[in-house]
Each structure stands twice: as structure tokens, then as C-alpha cells.
């Protein structure tokens, strides 16, 4: 009976009938301890049926037992944590993996990138939870030598609040922010968007990632990276339809990079190719190096590296 349950569970999983598969594995595990290979399929079936918490607990047990499939289980565990938005736990796990001798240096480099990306998602989550906009920004803070002393989060909040108040008297300061090459790229993009919202038509010189152009804030180049986010995300969904946590991470990366690139673009690449490039990049963070090392891949790495360098400064 137990063998039949496991056999049926595997067959249902193969047919993508995850509800039936989990029912079979649920019943089988009442009578016998499933081997690690079967458990890994069970975990995937649990994830597909939105039973992430149970999948997480199973992974934790396997990691404590030092399963022979430790590396695969760790990858699943990180995926689950990201899906549950438990970014603090992701950070703790990655800290342990970074000193684990079983992983080579190139894999640990991927862990570092994953750690940075998880940290960004955590900050975005905190930003969404922070609904206190009662304080009014001080115009003095827009002066360059004071603005650059603020944290990136403070700079972003200051500019975000500018959409909802009269800042016409500090337009020259906002222009300076948009043009300053030493300021975080996405902050410069936000400053340009503020100028556009104010109706400023005087051209602003924007130089970043090897591109340089005089831009009319009210009428920026089109299409640009921000314009393409929705279409690219649709293609990412097609690639990662069965992997919701990696999907969320990938679209988060596209969103972040699009605003860093604005008003420029992933020139010369279709939405589908850009989407595949980001999927390959995220997969590489989990150890899959099958993606191509082309100019798009190098641009994605440059975008990601630039955000990390600025944040560390």
C-alpha cells in the first residue's frame, strides 16, 4: 500500500497534479519515513499547493539531519523563505553558508549577490509598511552638500514627498540631483520624474551606464526602461510561472534596474530577451550557470553592481 501511494504521488507530480500528489505523500509519510529524493518532490508539491509553512518545516528537519541532498534542500529552503518574505531568516541562512566549506568560492559569490538582493527586498518591504508621511521635508536638505549626507532611504523619501507639495522654489537643487553622477542612479531618476511632474521643460543632462543625453523631463525618451516593466514582467511570468518566489525576486530586480536606467533603456533587446536575461541572472544566484554571458548579461551585472557599491558607501 505504501509503495503504491508513493508511486501514485510521483505519477501525479509528473502530471502537475500537485493536490493529488500531496494527498498521496501525506498518507504515505504516516507509515514510513520518505527518502530524501521523494521528500524533495513532496516539498515542491507542497509549494505548488501553497503549503509553504509545511514545506519550510520539512526543509528545516532535513537540514538538521545533514541530508545527503543538503545543497538542493538549502536551495529549496531559501526559495521558501523568499516566498514567505522572511528576509531576516534568508540573511541568517546565507551568513552560515558563506562560511560553509562545502561550497566553493564561486558559489559563495552567488550567495553574496543573493544576500544583497534579499536585503533590497527587505528594505522595499519596510518602505511599504512605513505609512508615516506626516513630517514635511526641509528644503535645506535639497542642497547638494546636505543631500549627499542623507541615507538612500532618506533621499528617496525626500523626493517622494516632493510629488505632494510645492517645491518650485528648489527646482535648481532637484536639477543638480538629477545631473550628479555620484548620486545613486535610481535617486537621480526619481529627481528627473519630480521635475517632469512639476512641468519643467528645460533640458537636463543625464549620464549613466555609458549613456549620455539631454532630456526634457516632461517628455523623456520613449520607450524607456520604466515604460517596458509591465511587458517584461509578463514574459518573466511565462518563464517562472511555477516558481513564484523566483518570479517575485526577478520582477523586483527588473523594477529596481529599470528605475536605475531611466530615462535610458536596455537598448537593442526585445522584452522577451530582457526577461530571459533577468531569469538567467537570478537562476545563476542559485547555482545555475547555464545562461549566456553576453552584453545584456554584463549590463545586468553592471546595474546590480552599481547599486551594491553605492549602498555600501
Amino acid at each position: 500500500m505504501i509503495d503504491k501511494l508513493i508511486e501514485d504521488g510521483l505519477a501525479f507530480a509528473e502530471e502537475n497534479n500537485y493536490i493529488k500528489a500531496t494527498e498521496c505523500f501525506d498518507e504515505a509519510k504516516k507509515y514510513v519515513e520518505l527518502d530524501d529524493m521523494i521528500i524533495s518532490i513532496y516539498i515542491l508539491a507542497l509549494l505548488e499547493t501553497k503549503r509553504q509553512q509545511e514545506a519550510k518545516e520539512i526543509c528545516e528537519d532535513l537540514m538538521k539531519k545533514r541530508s545527503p541532498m543538503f545543497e538542493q534542500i538549502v536551495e529549496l529552503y531559501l526559495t521558501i523563505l523568499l516566498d514567505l518574505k522572511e528576509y531576516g531568516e534568508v540573511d541568517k541562512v546565507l551568513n552560515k553558508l558563506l562560511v560553509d566549506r562545502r561550497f566553493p568560492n564561486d558559489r559563495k559569490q552567488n550567495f553574496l549577490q543573493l544576500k544583497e538582493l534579499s536585503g533590497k527586498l527587505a528594505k522595499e518591504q519596510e518602505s511599504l509598511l512605513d505609512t508615516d508621511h506626516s513630517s514635511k521635508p526641509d528644503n535645506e536638505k535639497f542642497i547638494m552638500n546636505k543631500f549627499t549626507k542623507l541615507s538612500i532611504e532618506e533621499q528617496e523619501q525626500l523626493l517622494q514627498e516632493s510629488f505632494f507639495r510645492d517645491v518650485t522654489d528648489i527646482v535648481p537643487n532637484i536639477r543638480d540631483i538629477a545631473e550628479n553622477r555620484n548620486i545613486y542612479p535610481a535617486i537621480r531618476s526619481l529627481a528627473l520624474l519630480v521635475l517632469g511632474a512639476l512641468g519643467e521643460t528645460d533640458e537636463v543632462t543625464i549620464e549613466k551606464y555609458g549613456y549620455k543625453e539631454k532630456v526634457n523631463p516632461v517628455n523623456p525618451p520613449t520607450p524607456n526602461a520604466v515604460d517596458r516593466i509591465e511587458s517584461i514582467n509578463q514574459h518573466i511570468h511565462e518563464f517562472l510561472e511555477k516558481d513564484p518566489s523566483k518570479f517575485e525576486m526577478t520582477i523586483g530586480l527588473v523594477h529596481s534596474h529599470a528605475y536605475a536606467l531611466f530615462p535610458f533603456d536596455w537598448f537593442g533587446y526585445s522584452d522577451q530577451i530582457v526577461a530571459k536575461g533577468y531569469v538567467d541572472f537570478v537562476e545563476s544566484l542559485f547555482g545555475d550557470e547555464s545562461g549566456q554571458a553576453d552584453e545584456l548579461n554584463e549590463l545586468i551585472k553592471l546595474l546590480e553592481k552599481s547599486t551594491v557599491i553605492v549602498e555600501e558607501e
Side-chain angles (χ1 to χ4, degrees):
M1 181 189 72
I2 296 170
D3 288 344
K4 182 69 164 61
L5 285 170
I6 293 173
E7 184 180 330
D8 287 348
L10 292 172
F12 283 129
E14 183 70 24
E15 296 169 0
N16 298 330
N17 189 341
Y18 297 109
I19 294 176
K20 287 291 187 182
T22 53
E23 288 175 357
C24 291
F25 293 136
D26 286 342
E27 190 65 23
K29 75 170 185 173
K30 293 178 182 178
Y31 307 103
V32 67
E33 185 175 345
L34 303 177
D35 68 44
D36 290 353
M37 212 281 264
I38 301 299
I39 287 181
S40 66
I41 297 171
Y42 181 31
I43 291 170
L44 290 171
L46 288 172
L47 293 177
E48 291 292 341
T49 52
K50 306 301 180 185
R51 292 166 62 182
Q52 291 97 328
Q53 195 60 44
E54 292 171 72
K56 176 188 171 186
E57 291 170 5
I58 293 172
C59 283
E60 288 171 342
D61 287 340
L62 288 173
M63 289 166 68
K64 288 175 186 175
K65 294 175 183 177
R66 292 293 179 178
S67 163
M69 296 180 64
F70 180 75
E71 293 186 23
Q72 294 92 324
I73 297 301
V74 163
E75 180 177 326
L76 279 172
Y77 187 54
L78 288 170
T79 300
I80 293 165
L81 292 176
L82 289 165
D83 199 23
L84 293 172
K85 297 182 173 62
E86 296 184 11
Y87 302 119
E89 190 61 29
V90 171
D91 196 63
K92 290 179 184 177
V93 173
L94 289 171
N95 285 340
K96 292 178 182 178
L97 297 179
L98 287 168
V99 295
D100 193 318
R101 294 182 179 180
R102 284 171 292 185
F103 295 94
N105 288 335
D106 58 343
R107 190 74 181 93
K108 289 180 179 180
Q109 185 61 38
N110 290 338
F111 290 152
L112 281 172
Q113 291 180 289
L114 193 58
K115 183 177 167 72
E116 293 290 345
L117 184 51
S118 176
K120 288 180 185 178
L121 292 173
K123 287 178 182 177
E124 288 181 11
Q125 185 183 52
E126 290 172 6
S127 178
L128 288 172
L129 293 173
D130 181 14
T131 57
D132 181 15
H133 300 292
S134 58
S135 61
K136 293 184 178 180
D138 181 356
N139 285 355
E140 290 288 317
K141 291 181 179 178
F142 286 91
I143 298 172
M144 189 60 66
N145 62 357
K146 294 185 178 181
F147 186 82
T148 53
K149 292 177 182 177
L150 300 174
S151 69
I152 291 173
E153 289 78 11
E154 290 170 328
Q155 292 176 355
E156 181 180 23
Q157 183 177 353
L158 201 61
L159 286 166
Q160 288 284 6
E161 290 171 350
S162 300
F163 285 103
F164 308 104
R165 55 189 296 269
D166 183 8
V167 290
T168 52
D169 54 334
I170 53 170
V171 164
N173 301 100
I174 299 175
R175 286 179 60 89
D176 289 343
I177 292 167
E179 293 185 328
N180 192 318
R181 294 174 57 190
N182 295 319
I183 289 176
Y184 180 61
I187 297 297
R188 297 175 60 201
S189 299
L190 185 55
L192 185 62
L193 289 168
V194 170
L195 292 172
L198 291 170
E200 285 297 309
T201 56
D202 290 343
E203 290 185 333
V204 179
T205 301
I206 305 294
E207 184 175 1
K208 58 173 84 166
Y209 304 113
Y211 306 124
K212 183 176 181 180
E213 189 170 336
K214 288 185 178 295
V215 177
N216 179 337
V218 173
N219 188 27
T222 186
N224 56 63
V226 172
D227 292 336
R228 298 174 63 187
I229 290 175
E230 185 176 350
S231 177
I232 291 169
N233 286 349
Q234 288 175 354
H235 287 291
I236 291 172
H237 183 264
E238 293 169 7
F239 289 122
L240 296 175
E241 185 176 2
K242 296 183 179 180
D243 200 334
S245 56
K246 287 182 182 175
F247 168 71
E248 184 173 341
M249 176 175 285
T250 307
I251 63 173
L253 205 62
V254 168
H255 187 275
S256 172
H257 288 189
Y259 278 91
L261 265 175
F262 181 82
F264 303 118
D265 190 15
W266 298 277
F267 294 115
Y269 298 100
S270 68
D271 293 340
Q272 186 175 31
I273 290 174
V274 171
K276 185 62 167 62
Y278 276 91
V279 169
D280 287 346
F281 178 78
V282 170
E283 293 286 5
S284 75
L285 300 183
F286 287 90
D288 183 353
E289 302 291 346
S290 59
Q292 292 184 346
D294 54 16
E295 289 184 6
L296 175 59
N297 182 259
E298 291 304 312
L299 176 57
I300 293 171
K301 288 180 179 179
L302 175 63
L303 285 162
E304 186 61 10
K305 184 178 179 181
S306 72
T307 61
V308 172
I309 290 172
V310 173
E311 286 178 356
E312 288 179 349
E313 290 176 349

